[in-house]
Amino acid sequence: MARGSGKIKLFGFLAVIVFLLIFLNIYINDGKAQNSVFDILKSPVKIFSSVGDMFVGGFKIVFGLKDIISENASLRSENKNLTQKLVEAERLREENELLRKQLSLSEERKQILIDVRILSFEPSNLSEFAVIDKGRNDGLKKDMPVILSGNILFGKISEVYDSYSKVILITDGNNKVNVKVFLNKEEKDAGKTLYNGVLSGYFGKSLFMDLIDKRSDVSFGDLIITSGLDGIYPEGLIVGKVDIIKDDDNAVFKQAYLMPAFLPLTSNLAFVIK
Amino acid sequence: MKKTLLFLILAFSVLLQTSFMQKISIFGVSPNLPMTMLFFVAFFSRSYKMTMLSGLFLGLLFDIFSGTAFGIFSLTFICLAFFVSVLLDSVVLRDNIFMLFAILFFGTIFGSFLSAATADLFDLLEISVMHINLNYSLLKTSVIEAVLNSFLMLAILPLRRFAIL
């Protein structure tokens, strides 16, 4: 009996401490204590993350050798196609520049990128966050978009501290992104129409696209990019590819599940768009 | 000395969780090492004080790394430590190893729902705007996590021999 009441007393005492810390964190401290603790833990986290990369990399090499061979073949053929497209894109860029000059149009707004390192990830499976190694001192602000190399959307900054920031990933259920389908010339010529939607995170690090016009032609493998309509993410960032299409007769909109383009993560380097 | 070593191991488990463990995921769900460690401490230390203090320590570290509002995991881990201590006192088969796995499995599912409910409470109190849906998807995530945690427990069971508790 005494043990039982001791437990309740200790539980109550610890709960009071936590509530006090929550109160201090919100109204007085402004995250300074968290920042100090994180400064201490920064180095060991970096080491563990590198060890994790090495372990998973080694595991993949051993168990995925067969896949690597076939993947290598498909990448080689994709590389040839991309080289062709790169030449075409370069020609178009030059043509575009020339036309802009002739029409006296202002130059395209260039994005300022700040390179950051992803230090750690959300420890629980309930939400999707990452911690990056730069913060307020480096000019980072809340809601700045975070991308990976290749213009792949990763997320946006949700909390900023002095020397680090937290990023809410696009795979989190609370992060809404306005997106549209990317249509290439062949698809446009074939009469495929543009469709928009709103994206949020879904179970198992996938994405869920909602509010797609019922008449639109959504197909497997469609490339989805940001539309820029939400005012947070600039237009044209790569989000992912359509994996599963959901078209219920009774539903007002079509829905789709997407595979995020940023997965699997191959590097810990990211960029914040200023 | 033993206590210091235990808390160092617990801190180590949180660091591993935020880095190494995130690379190991099945269906997008990673095992939860700190939560598994909490059940390990509760089962083998037989001290409710140690269990609840471990819960507070793990929860605070979890909150520092988490993007959700500060305090959600501290409260969840303390509640979990309290419920497990009460349960283990009232369970007859306390020494049965299968009991550990049963408590870990259902405790993980309960812990996930408890964190989601706390996040919703914080949302309601306007402490944060994070909202975690209490739905089928959460159940799927927590069941997979519970299975993974059970395998993880098999891996950390040999720690008993090092007499850190």
Side-chain angles (χ1 to χ4, degrees):
Chain A
M1 189 67 191
R3 195 176 149 89
S5 73
K7 252 182 231 163
I8 295 168
K9 273 182 196 165
L10 182 62
F11 174 67
F13 176 68
L14 296 181
V16 168
I17 289 177
V18 172
F19 279 115
L20 208 66
L21 287 173
I22 293 169
F23 177 79
L24 285 173
N25 188 57
I26 297 170
Y27 299 104
I28 301 167
N29 201 281
D30 194 27
K32 282 202 168 55
Q34 279 190 63
N35 197 77
S36 316
V37 176
F38 202 84
D39 278 343
I40 299 165
L41 299 174
K42 223 176 194 175
S43 306
V45 168
K46 269 185 191 172
I47 296 166
F48 287 136
S49 193
S50 311
V51 172
D53 285 338
M54 275 161 57
F55 177 79
V56 176
F59 190 82
K60 274 181 186 161
I61 288 169
V62 173
F63 293 96
L65 202 61
K66 207 177 154 189
D67 294 338
I68 288 172
I69 294 166
S70 65
E71 202 179 315
N72 191 30
S74 71
L75 283 174
R76 273 172 193 272
S77 74
E78 203 179 320
N79 194 28
K80 276 182 191 164
N81 291 336
L82 286 173
T83 314
Q84 232 174 2
K85 282 185 181 169
L86 194 70
V87 174
E88 177 69 9
E90 187 56 29
R91 192 186 62 78
L92 287 172
R93 193 187 61 80
E94 281 171 10
E95 196 179 295
N96 186 31
E97 236 170 61
L98 197 77
L99 286 170
R100 274 181 179 276
K101 268 183 196 162
Q102 280 179 347
L103 295 168
S104 311
L105 288 175
S106 61
E107 273 195 33
E108 272 184 284
R109 197 172 70 88
K110 285 200 175 127
Q111 291 169 343
I112 300 169
L113 300 177
I114 303 169
D115 62 309
V116 292
R117 196 161 282 278
I118 303 163
L119 288 176
S120 69
F121 289 91
E122 168 73 27
S124 78
N125 288 308
L126 301 174
S127 46
E128 296 281 327
F129 284 88
V131 176
I132 54 173
D133 67 346
K134 283 183 182 160
R136 208 177 284 131
N137 296 343
D138 306 281
L140 301 195
K141 284 179 191 154
K142 201 183 165 187
D143 283 343
M144 280 182 173
V146 183
I147 58 168
L148 302 180
S149 70
N151 254 12
I152 296 168
L153 183 61
F154 186 57
K156 68 174 179 184
I157 293 178
S158 60
E159 279 174 62
V160 193
Y161 298 87
D162 289 342
S163 57
Y164 78 103
S165 308
K166 285 179 183 174
V167 178
I168 180 167
L169 309 193
I170 49 168
T171 42
D172 188 282
N174 285 291
N175 197 357
K176 303 267 187 273
V177 187
N178 212 305
V179 291
K180 65 179 181 184
V181 66
F182 171 77
L183 298 175
N184 57 31
K185 196 173 174 296
E186 291 92 57
E187 283 168 330
K188 276 180 193 163
D189 290 346
K192 187 164 173 153
T193 51
L194 188 87
Y195 60 85
N196 286 57
V198 175
L199 193 99
S200 61
Y202 187 67
F203 164 75
K205 293 184 170 49
S206 63
L207 299 164
F208 178 64
M209 187 173 166
D210 202 0
L211 306 177
I212 307 169
D213 192 331
K214 195 87 175 158
R215 292 161 297 179
S216 53
D217 176 23
V218 186
S219 39
F220 174 81
D222 278 354
L223 182 66
I224 304 297
I225 57 169
T226 50
S227 68
L229 293 174
D230 48 34
I232 294 174
Y233 303 100
E235 190 185 349
L237 300 175
I238 298 166
V239 174
K241 281 185 175 176
V242 173
D243 189 28
I244 301 165
I245 303 146
K246 208 174 151 193
D247 186 12
D248 290 340
D249 289 339
N250 301 326
V252 184
F253 295 101
K254 270 187 187 176
Q255 293 162 324
Y257 294 94
L258 273 67
M259 289 305 291
F262 77 82
L263 287 175
L265 263 181
T266 49
S267 160
N268 283 341
L269 197 71
F271 304 93
V272 177
I273 301 175
K274 215 172 172 182
Chain B
M1 185 63 193
K2 268 186 185 179
K3 279 179 190 165
T4 315
L5 185 63
L6 174 67
F7 281 95
L8 275 174
I9 290 172
L10 293 179
F12 182 73
S13 76
V14 177
L15 294 182
L16 276 179
Q17 183 65 27
T18 59
S19 50
F20 184 79
M21 300 307 279
Q22 297 305 315
K23 318 272 177 188
I24 310 163
S25 68
I26 293 169
F27 301 116
V29 180
S30 306
N32 195 331
L33 179 61
M35 195 181 273
T36 312
M37 285 300 291
L38 179 68
F39 284 94
F40 178 85
V41 172
F43 200 81
F44 294 110
S45 76
R46 294 166 185 260
S47 154
Y48 72 88
K49 281 180 191 162
M50 186 61 88
T51 307
M52 283 200 235
L53 286 173
S54 301
L56 176 70
F57 182 71
L58 286 171
L60 286 173
L61 280 179
F62 232 75
D63 275 327
I64 288 169
F65 285 98
S66 174
T68 51
F70 184 84
I72 289 177
F73 290 105
S74 305
L75 284 174
T76 304
F77 274 71
I78 292 173
C79 290
L80 216 51
F82 174 72
F83 288 128
V84 174
S85 303
V86 171
L87 195 71
L88 283 173
D89 267 2
S90 55
V91 168
V92 184
L93 293 168
R94 197 191 154 130
D95 292 327
N96 191 328
I97 203 81
F98 291 108
M99 190 54 73
L100 167 66
F101 284 94
I103 291 174
L104 172 67
F105 186 87
F106 292 107
T108 303
I109 297 170
F110 176 68
S112 296
F113 277 84
L114 199 62
S115 329
T118 316
D120 280 358
L121 179 73
F122 277 36
D123 186 19
L124 203 71
L125 296 172
E126 293 180 356
I127 293 173
S128 82
V129 287
M130 281 294 154
H131 179 79
I132 296 164
N133 286 325
L134 291 157
N135 57 17
Y136 179 58
S137 162
L138 178 66
L139 182 68
K140 271 200 284 188
T141 307
S142 55
V143 169
I144 296 170
E145 191 182 311
V147 173
L148 294 175
N149 284 358
S150 304
F151 282 108
L152 203 59
M153 182 59 91
L154 279 175
I156 63 169
L157 267 180
L159 271 180
R160 276 183 302 172
R161 291 182 199 156
F162 293 104
I164 51 163
L165 297 167

